[in-house]
Amino acid sequence: MSLRTTPSPAGPVAPRRTARLTPLPSPAARLAPGSFLGAWQQLNADATIGHCVDNLETSGVLANFRRLVEGGPQGAFQGFWFADSDLYKTLEAVGWEIGRSGTDRWAQLLDDVAGLLERVQEPDGYLNTYVQGTPGEQRFARPDYTHELYCAGHLVQAAVALHRGSGDERFLTVARRIADLVVREFGEDGRALIDGHPEVETALVELYRETGDQAYLRAAELQIERRGHGLLGPGHFGAVYFQDHAPVREATEAAGHSVRQLYLAAGVTDLYLENGDEALLVAQEKLWESAFGTKMYVIGGHGSRHRDEAYGDPYELPPDRAYAETCASIAALQWSWRLLLATGKPRYAEEMERALVNAIAASTSETGTAFFYSNPLQLRTGHDGSSEDSPSERLPWYRCACCPPNLARLLASVHAYAATGDDTGLQLHLITAGEFSAPGLTARVETGYPYDGDVLITAHGTGELSVRVPSWAADAAVEVTGGQILAGATPGGYLRVACAGDTTVRLALPMTPRLVRADERVDAVRGCVAVLRGPVVYCVEQADLPGGVLVEQLRLDPSAAVTEEGTRLRLSGFARKDDPDLYPAHEPAPAAGDESITFTAIPYHSWANRGPGAMRVWLPLA
Ligand SMILES: [Zn+2]
C-alpha cells in the first residue's frame, strides 16, 4: 500500500463509501472574511491557536514529553493524565489551518514536536507520557481511567489533519505506529480492551480513510462492538458513565458522560458510513432523537449534570446548573455532521448551526484567548467568582484544558462543515457568506446571516443547487433567475434549483424575533420564554439594565413589540420591585411595586464580554 506524498485536500471527515452526501475537499469551501464564521475562523488563526501553543508550554504539556527524552528537563508529570491530548488537538488545529491558509507560522513547532514524539515513542509504537513517566503505572492496566486510547485517538486525528493540510508524513508515521500497536494488541485475537473515554473509534476510522488500511477500520469496529458488555467494570460512576452499560445497537437513550457519549456516537456513525450496517444507523438516529429531542439546551448545549459531566434524565435541563461543556457541543456537531452525510436530513445541519452560533460561539471571548468550559444559561446576581465549571467569566486556560484546543481544531476546519457536493450538484447546509465549489457547479454566497436573512447566491455551471431552509423560516421568499426551482423553500427542507449557466438565487429568510416557550416538562424554566432571532438565541445581561433593576426582577411582556437595534433587541416588560430580602419565602408575590420598563437583549454568544454580571436566557412572563 502506498501513501500519498502530496497534500490531500480532504476535510475532517472523508467517507470512502455509503455516504448520501459527499464532503467538499477543503479548498472547495471558503468562508467570506467578514462573515460570522469567517471572522471567527480568522480570530482562531490570529489569536486562539497561538494562545493554545503558548499554554502547552506554561501548563507543562510539552515538558511532559521533554522529560522523557534523554537529557531532557527533570520534574514530575504535570497536569491531568490525559494532558497529551491538549498537544494533539492543538496540532490538529495547526494542520487544518495550514491546509486552509498555507501558513508557515508553525513550521518550527512542528519540527520540534515531530522530533519529540519520535524520540518519546517506544520501539513498539506505545506513546503516552503519563504512563511512561509515572512510576508504578503500567500500560493499559487501568483502561477505565488512563485515557491511553483516547490520547492515541487525538494523536491520530492530529496526524490526519497535518497530512491532509500539508502532506506532513512525520506525524502520520508516529500515529500509524501506535495504531498498529492497537491492531496487534487489541485486534481479533488480542485482548478485549476498550478505553474509558471513547475517541479512538472515530480516529481509527479516519486513519483507515486516510491510508486505506482495513486493519484500522476493523480495530475501530472491535472497539465499538466490545463496548456495552461491562468490560470496564463499574468505575467510580457506574458503567453508564462510559457507555459500557449496553451495546451500541441497543443503547438508544443518550446517557452518561456527555462528551464520551457523543464521541462514541460519532465513531459509530463513522463505522456505519464505511460498513453500511443499517442497524448501526437506526440506533444512532434513535440516540440522536434522545439527545437532541429531550436532553439538549436551546443554545445547543449537552449534559446538564455537574457531578459526572453527564446527561440527566429527559427534560432535566436546569439553566443555572447547566454543565453544557463546550467539548460536548463540539462533539455533538461532529456527530450531527456524520449523520448528515449518512442521511442527507437537514435537521442534522440545523442542529450544527444552533450549536455553532450559540453554545460554541459563546465559549470563546471576543479576544479569542479566553474560554468557557461550562456554558450555563443563567448566572445569578451575586454569583461569586469564576471557576472551571461554575463560570462568571471566561478563563484564559484550564487545568483540564480539553475545551480551548477543541475549539481551535473545530474553527480551523469549520469551512469544511458548510457544504457538500459531487458531480450532481452542490448542497449548502450552513448558511454563510463564502464560496463553494462542486464539480461543474460553483456558488458564491453573500449574506450577513445569522443576523441578516437576505441570502444572495450566484451560481455558475450546471447541476442542482440545494440550500437548507431553517425549520423556523416560514414564508421564506425565493427569487430565481436563470435556473428552475425543483423544490420550494419549505421550512426544515432544502430549496432545490436546477442550475444551467449563470443562476441567481435570492432567499429571504424571515428574521422577526421569536419568543420560544420552554417545554412544560423542563420544570426549572416552565412558563418562561427564550428570545430568538433567526438561529441566534438572546439573553439579558445585568450590564444592559437600568440602575436599580436586577436580572431576576425582569418579566417580559409577550404582547409588546420587539424592536431591533443592530444585533441587539429591545424588549418590554416589568421589573418586579418586591423586597429581595423576602425571597424566596414571601407569598403571594406583591405586584404593587412593578415598574414598566424596556430593556436590551444581546446574542447569548456575546455574553460576559463586559466583566462578570448576572445573565439569563429564559425570561419569565409579565
Ligand atoms: Zn472540554
Side-chain angles (χ1 to χ4, degrees), residues 89 150 257 259 263 309 323 325-328 330 372-374 398 400-406:
K89 277 186 272 188
Y150 168 86
H257 186 279
V259 178
Y263 280 164
E309 308 182 304
Y323 194 69
E325 185 183 336
T326 300
C327 285
I330 293 170
F372 280 131
Y373 184 112
S374 177
Y398 285 82
C400 177
C402 50
C403 303
N406 216 352

